[in-house]
């Protein structure tokens, strides 16, 4: 009888542990050096225990009003992305970000071309026709990467880690650098606070490398 009770007690604890972890999450509040909320920051952890899905739906990086929409897209390694054109002008999408470099030559309206990203990392997008168009695809190695909202908040669906990694387009001059941060300070709402030292907003984007495609 005692063995039976002990068995069910252990089973209950195991189920409780699984349930608690299934709903575990940690919220991070991100501000810049001026204490302003930072949106479109990618927060992620390198956690080998997170199981990647076998397949993912096709992600969409649209082009609206001569801008990439969304400006920052998070996908997982091995996921396909389509690049429709919702503008009434033609676009020529490319990236020089090795090993995820690609090119979709001049096209208008929708395109059936799919680009598969098999390597984790940041992909910087440009348009060979419109120099001011710039977008980013963050290729995550697992399902733990999330994007901060307009309030600078990002919620990871995991237990609180000791450290998190973070990417933002203004975190470095090359827009391709990630940095690691320790979670130390917690605010009144329970969110863990991070302060970033961001580069100034570029006022003018230089001419694109059009000659590389001629």
């Amino acid at each position: 009888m005692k063995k039976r009770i002990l068995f069910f007690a252990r089973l209950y604890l195991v189920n409780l542990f699984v349930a608690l972890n299934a709903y575990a999450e940690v919220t991070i509040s991100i501000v810049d050096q001026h204490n302003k909320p930072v949106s479109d920051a990618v927060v992620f952890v390198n956690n080998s225990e997170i199981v990647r899905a076998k397949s993912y739906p096709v992600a969409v990086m649209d082009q609206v009003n001569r801008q990439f929409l969304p400006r920052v897209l998070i996908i997982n390694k091995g996921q396909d992305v389509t690049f429709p054109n919702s503008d009434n002008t033609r676009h020529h999408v490319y990236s020089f970000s090795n090993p995820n470099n690609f090119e979709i030559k001049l096209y208008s309206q929708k395109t059936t071309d799919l680009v598969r990203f098999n390597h984790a990392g940041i992909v910087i997008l440009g348009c060979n026709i419109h120099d001011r168009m710039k977008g980013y695809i963050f290729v995550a190695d697992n399902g733990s990467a999330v994007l901060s909202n307009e309030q600078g908040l990002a919620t990871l669906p995991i237990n609180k880690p000791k450290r998190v990694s973070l990417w933002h387009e203004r975190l470095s001059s090359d827009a391709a650098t990630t940095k690691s941060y320790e979670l130390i300070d917690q605010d009144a709402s329970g969110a863990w606070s991070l302060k970033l030292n961001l580069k100034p907003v570029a006022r003018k984007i230089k001419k694109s490398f059009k000659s590389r495609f001629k």
Side-chain angles (χ1 to χ4, degrees):
M1 184 67 177
K2 289 182 179 180
K3 290 183 178 180
R4 190 173 183 181
I5 294 175
L6 184 60
F7 169 78
F8 283 109
R10 289 176 176 173
L11 183 62
Y12 170 78
L13 290 175
V14 169
N15 290 332
L16 179 62
F17 176 80
V18 172
L20 289 174
N21 278 273
Y23 295 99
E25 62 181 26
V26 56
T27 299
I28 299 170
S29 177
I30 308 168
V31 298
D32 64 10
Q33 61 267 41
H34 307 295
N35 291 318
K36 293 183 178 180
V38 176
S39 62
D40 287 340
V42 178
V43 184
F44 63 102
V45 294
N46 297 316
N47 192 339
S48 60
E49 296 180 359
I50 297 177
V51 179
R52 296 176 62 243
K54 293 182 179 179
S55 61
Y56 299 97
V58 174
V60 178
M61 176 60 86
D62 206 344
Q63 293 147 90
V64 181
N65 296 324
R66 298 183 180 182
Q67 297 293 331
F68 287 105
L69 187 69
R71 184 172 177 83
V72 180
L73 174 67
I74 295 178
I75 64 171
N76 285 280
K77 188 167 63 175
Q79 191 168 358
D80 291 329
V81 179
T82 184
F83 295 82
N85 180 2
S86 295
D87 285 333
N88 57 3
T89 185
R90 292 183 294 178
H91 289 302
H92 184 149
V93 180
Y94 69 90
S95 175
F96 296 136
S97 301
N98 287 318
N100 286 311
N101 54 304
F102 72 97
E103 175 189 6
I104 303 177
K105 294 185 178 180
L106 199 65
Y107 69 100
S108 60
Q109 297 181 345
K110 296 187 180 296
T111 175
T112 57
D113 291 345
L114 295 178
V115 180
R116 176 165 296 179
F117 296 91
N118 290 315
H119 305 278
I122 186 68
V123 182
I124 302 175
L125 304 175
C127 175
N128 206 29
I129 307 301
H130 307 100
D131 295 342
R132 292 184 178 275
M133 285 182 63
K134 183 169 286 188
Y136 305 90
I137 297 177
F138 185 89
V139 186
D141 199 26
N142 53 50
S144 69
V146 295
L147 197 66
S148 64
N149 60 20
E150 292 295 328
Q151 291 73 44
L153 299 175
T155 300
L156 289 165
I158 58 173
N159 287 308
K160 175 190 170 294
K162 291 183 178 180
R163 304 184 69 88
V164 297
S165 295
L166 190 144
W167 172 90
H168 188 271
E169 61 179 292
R170 290 168 50 209
L171 196 59
S172 63
S173 57
D174 64 2
T177 299
T178 61
K179 295 184 179 181
S180 177
Y181 297 87
E182 188 175 2
L183 299 182
I184 300 176
D185 299 320
Q186 199 170 14
D187 63 22
S189 68
W192 296 88
S193 303
L194 290 180
K195 179 174 284 190
L196 310 182
N197 186 20
L198 299 182
K199 303 292 182 182
V201 178
R203 293 185 178 181
K204 185 177 180 180
I205 300 176
K206 294 182 179 181
K207 188 177 180 181
S208 64
F209 307 110
K210 294 182 180 181
S211 60
R212 298 193 186 186
F213 289 122
K214 291 181 179 180

